[in-house]
Amino acid sequence: MEPKRATVRDLRRQNRSALLSTLYLGGPLSRFELSRLTGLSAATVSKVTGEMVEERLLVEAGQVESDGGRPRVLLRVDPGYGTVVGVDVGETGVKVELFDLGMTRLATVDHPLSAGGSDPERVAELVAEGLRGVLAEAAVDEAAVLGVGVGVPGTVEHGPTPRVHAPTIGWNAVELEKLLRANGIGLPLYFDNGAKTQGVAEMWFGAGRGARHAVIALIGSGVGAAIITDGSTYRGSTSSAGEWGHTTISYGGRQCRCGALGCLEAYVGAAGILDRYRKARGGRAAPGDDERAALGALLQAAGKSRTADTVLEETVGYLGAGIANLINLFNPERIVLGGWAGLALGTELLPRIRAAAQTHALRHPHDQVAIELCELGPDAVAVGAATLPVAALLAQGN
């Protein structure tokens, strides 16, 4: 079968996509710089950017001096061209955020979930309610929204009908898109695993920026990762790659929420850490109304309680060993620790975590890697989810 020949329309879309992507991720830039970076001719760059300026997709952003000639006009993507929504469906709550195209946050709605309250129908209701809330708060018309990205705590099976598999919250092939449509959401919808959306956010705007090979780890109640190889997210054959939390760290060890024994998540996920602490205290849980408060209390007890110190030392060891596995398997330039629990642990214990990783990793790949904290904070999953409709805009070129 002969390969399909590119049409004039295909070529136009490719040119628009190349220029728009380069400007979005690297702008503002002059037309001269765009020609150099994309390999497109000066005439093509001038014609296509002229069209996008007329469409108000691009705007002028000042001037820069040129060598001996007139100053060059800088272009950038117009933040006001449209808005995007990012949704973080977590195990403890649903967060809905509205952004302009410059990823300036315009509005946020948070809905907490009670323990065991991740019923798919209820989650869909909260997403729809949150969407209405952010649009009302920012006084934005739905027609100005380019799309809604949703990050979920599980694997997304992409296809005509996306299905979410998240065994830790009891979801098996949940058709979340249908549930959202049933709640009146008619906007374009995009879905991905929350760790992967966080990965895109950190690669585009945060601690992963500039790296070609990286692992962006998400540590919350559960544990996941986005594996970036040569600038692209590695997905595997069915998009489930990156389930770092369900790699085995201890043969025959603690039971994980997924049902297996010895998973990394059972030792370094917030739920696993707090369960180990509770058992070490003879059944007394850490004080706090929720996991975040309880983990904060555990970290505050460091240096005051031998039990807390032991649990945290073990957690550092397990996390360091898990990071070493990433280093040995993927040889990344950078490993970024994110997620609310990852940030809490990393803020207090990062030097010790780095030392533990060094103990378990092969020397040469370890010496090439930097282990850093997420820069976008606990909103990284929602920011990354909002990049899903942005990525669609960049790929289509309009």
Side-chain angles (χ1 to χ4, degrees), residues 287-338:
D289 295 332
D290 55 27
E291 283 187 348
R292 298 187 188 217
L295 184 60
L298 168 57
L299 289 166
Q300 289 174 6
K304 306 170 190 173
S305 160
R306 182 175 297 178
T307 302
D309 288 343
T310 298
V311 170
L312 290 174
E313 186 62 31
E314 290 173 349
T315 301
V316 165
Y318 286 122
L319 183 52
I323 290 171
N325 288 340
L326 295 174
I327 293 171
N328 294 343
L329 281 169
F330 300 109
N331 186 207
E333 305 163 60
R334 210 168 298 169
I335 292 178
V336 178
L337 291 182

Side-chain angles (χ1 to χ4, degrees), residues 38-49:
T38 63
L40 297 173
S41 70
T44 297
V45 170
S46 180
K47 180 178 184 297
V48 175
T49 57

